[in-house]
Amino acid sequence: NAGVTQTPKFQVLKTGQSMTLQCAQDMNHNSMYWYRQDPGMGLRLIYYSASEGTTDKGEVPNGYNVSRLNKREFSLRLESAAPSQTSVYFCASSATGGTGYTFGSGTRLTVV
Amino acid sequence: AQSVTQPDIHITVSEGASLELRCNYSYGATPYLFWYVQSPGQGLQLLLKYFSGDTLVQGIKGFEAEFKRSQSSFNLRKPSVHWSDAAEYFCAVGVSAGGTSYGKLTFGQGTILTVHP
């Protein structure tokens, strides 16, 4: 089925470890996004990529890096995980202009 | 920058009762407006969206929302709630073409809906 695929679904890290969250979409969307969801705070934008070859910071970029590998794939990297990065991470994609987002099923990350 | 406020953190209704979830936004021009629903442990599903035109928007699962520019609101309604509607609901605002944040969505804090039998 067409959509947005995120891996892994669950991950536990120790403080200071690094990891990369993977995201791929097969809808030929130009734009891709990484959000984090925390209780009572809704979804907050970490980074986004308006089109292949471009990335830009969102509301909460500190501690993260991203790579738009090609049109399909957009990865999120935590170089040195901290407990404050415990969250549920969602990847999304959209046609240009964000008029219709499709979300992945999320990655639940715990940093101990 | 745009912002979204959902004043109600948690709402409880009885099955069969009507529902209204409130959403207020702040944005200088006509925004794109969305409602999403999230079941526990799941991703977000789009219920409906408003871009322009008719201010009363119909969505999936029997939901509708009305854009009121004068009140900067985009409230979600359903005439008769079913137990399966229990979930968390998010309002979001996007910037229309030409805006500096074109394409990015800003989400409200969410409203948790509990449905009593």
Side-chain angles (χ1 to χ4, degrees), chain B residues 42-93:
Chain B
Q42 302 297 313
L44 278 75
Q45 181 183 21
L46 179 66
L47 284 176
L48 47 77
K49 57 188 176 185
Y50 171 81
F51 294 155
S52 64
D54 193 346
T55 56
L56 185 62
V57 180
Q58 302 297 320
I60 63 171
K61 305 185 180 186
F63 285 93
E64 66 177 27
E66 186 171 11
F67 171 57
K68 293 186 177 181
R69 185 189 304 276
S70 62
Q71 298 177 19
S72 297
S73 69
F74 189 57
N75 294 347
L76 182 71
R77 301 193 295 247
K78 187 170 185 178
S80 177
V81 171
H82 188 263
W83 64 267
S84 60
D85 293 324
E88 189 164 14
Y89 292 79
F90 293 93
C91 182
V93 60

Side-chain angles (χ1 to χ4, degrees), chain A residues 33 35 37 40-45 48 50 57-59 88 90 94 96-106 108, chain B residues 9 32 34 36 38 40-46 49 51 88 90 94-95 100-110:
Chain A
Y33 313 82
Y35 287 85
Q37 182 180 25
M41 304 189 74
L43 280 77
R44 293 179 292 168
L45 183 64
Y48 70 103
K57 296 178 181 179
E59 182 183 354
V88 180
F90 286 99
S94 75
T96 300
T99 53
Y101 273 39
T102 299
F103 282 87
S105 57
R108 186 173 296 274
Chain B
I9 296 173
Y32 296 155
F34 305 81
Y36 286 87
Q38 183 182 34
Q42 302 297 313
L44 278 75
Q45 181 183 21
L46 179 66
K49 57 188 176 185
F51 294 155
E88 189 164 14
F90 293 93
V95 174
T100 56
S101 300
Y102 187 47
K104 298 187 290 184
L105 294 188
T106 299
F107 286 83
Q109 302 93 322

